[in-house]
Amino acid sequence: NKIARGEPIIGVGAGVGIIAKVAELAGADLIIIYNSGRYRMAGFGSLAGLMPYGDAHQVLLELAPEVLSVVKYTPVLAGVTGTHPFYQGHRMRSFLQELKEMGFSGVQNFPTVGLIDKNSLFRRNLEETGMGYDKEVEMIKMAHELDMLTTPYVFDEEDITNMIKAGADVVVLHFGLTAKGTIGARTTISLEEAARKAQEWTELARSLKQDVIVLVHGGPVADLEDWRYIAERVRGVHGFFGATTFERLPVEKAVAEQIKAFKAVKIKSS
């Protein structure tokens, strides 16, 4: 109904309960939690979620009560590591069922090997040794079979095709690590290139599944004006998903401005 009315679908990453609580009050359509949120809210870059600093599923389970307890009605999605070697086959299905029973409405594939260049030796070796993107596709297929909302990150035409075949309800066009702020990406594609890719990928997605919801995320699409640029130029995109955009960047700005305002107050000399 919102799409029919021309209203954007906005997904918000929440690495701490207060972000989820405020996101719901502001009218967010989806709230997503995964391990990168923990690192972002601790002041580190989002890619920490792809490094061996902790079990991504354990971090998710630690965050879950904090977020699920304060969200009253907005669907909450879980970031699930499809390539996790200890969660394959029936164990992955059991884990997804556990998440559903906890109160999660759906899943997203994160951490994802999709952020690793397909042409790199590291990515090729991951694919060759059973830790490839195909495992993330399998996870999305399982979640779809469990009647969970599926909102995978996709990075190219092949990913879009495979995820939609697996039953994706939403595809999130991922343009890389989000730019701007104190720890945002410095190397990214241009906003113009993101718009071009978004149009091509959206058309492909809609050709494969007419009612698929298409969101954009990351790279140069970091703030309101970037999102406005995409929304005004790309036909068929339904909305935006932001984590850094709604967690880290607003906190960096608001806290800094508040402290500076307090510091600017003159006090009476004794």
Side-chain angles (χ1 to χ4, degrees):
N1 289 338
K2 289 184 177 182
I3 290 171
R5 294 195 299 267
E7 299 175 18
I9 303 301
I10 302 298
V12 177
V16 65
I18 188 64
I19 298 293
K21 186 174 185 177
V22 173
E24 180 168 70
L25 291 173
D29 299 290
L30 301 168
I31 294 173
I32 304 94
I33 61 174
Y34 45 68
N35 71 329
S36 272
R38 168 61 58 83
Y39 298 112
R40 269 192 301 272
M41 300 313 291
F44 302 104
S46 300
L47 290 181
L50 272 70
M51 300 298 287
Y53 304 146
D55 187 312
H57 287 171
Q58 187 59 43
V59 174
L60 169 68
L61 293 175
E62 290 171 0
L63 280 171
E66 183 175 338
V67 171
L68 292 171
S69 296
V70 297
V71 175
K72 294 181 173 60
Y73 53 84
T74 307
V76 180
L77 313 181
V80 177
T81 314
T83 58
H84 199 309
F86 300 154
Y87 292 82
Q88 297 300 318
H90 73 278
R91 282 219 62 204
M92 175 60 81
R93 189 177 297 274
S94 296
F95 182 60
L96 293 172
Q97 184 65 49
E98 177 186 348
L99 294 176
K100 186 174 182 179
E101 292 171 0
M102 287 176 64
F104 285 101
S105 299
V107 297
Q108 188 167 58
N109 56 325
F110 195 90
T112 172
V113 300
L115 279 165
I116 304 170
D117 186 350
K118 276 187 175 179
N119 297 318
S120 69
L121 178 61
F122 183 49
R123 175 67 182 273
R124 290 202 299 270
N125 287 165
L126 285 172
E127 299 285 348
E128 292 164 356
T129 54
M131 291 173 280
Y133 190 82
D134 62 307
K135 297 297 184 184
E136 299 178 26
V137 175
E138 288 179 17
M139 180 275 290
I140 291 296
K141 185 174 186 295
M142 287 183 189
H144 173 71
E145 291 169 351
L146 290 171
D147 198 29
M148 301 180 80
L149 182 68
T150 51
T151 68
Y153 280 134
V154 292
F155 301 84
D156 59 22
E157 293 86 349
E158 182 181 14
D159 295 346
I160 293 168
T161 300
N162 289 335
M163 282 299 190
I164 288 180
K165 286 181 178 178
D169 302 297
V170 179
V171 288
V172 184
L173 313 183
H174 201 306
F175 299 124
L177 182 64
T178 304
K180 300 184 179 180
T182 60
I183 50 174
R186 299 292 182 267
T187 304
T188 184
I189 63 174
S190 67
L191 199 54
E192 293 79 7
E193 176 69 2
R196 184 188 66 77
K197 285 188 174 184
Q199 188 63 70
E200 293 177 358
W201 294 354
T202 297
E203 290 173 4
L204 171 62
R206 297 290 293 280
S207 72
L208 295 168
K209 184 178 180 181
Q210 189 175 6
D211 63 347
V212 70
I213 296 173
V214 181
L215 309 182
V216 296
H217 170 76
V221 193
D223 59 25
L224 176 60
E225 290 310 311
D226 300 329
W227 158 236
R228 195 190 310 277
Y229 180 95
I230 297 294
E232 291 177 348
R233 289 165 175 78
V234 182
R235 183 177 297 276
V237 161
H238 299 118
F240 174 81
F241 168 63
T244 290
T245 301
F246 298 126
E247 290 176 313
R248 176 175 63 79
L249 293 179
V251 169
E252 287 181 359
K253 182 178 180 182
V255 172
E257 289 180 352
Q258 185 81 326
I259 292 172
K260 288 176 181 177
F262 271 70
K263 291 284 289 183
V265 174
K266 300 302 180 182
I267 58 175
K268 289 183 179 294
S269 58
S270 57

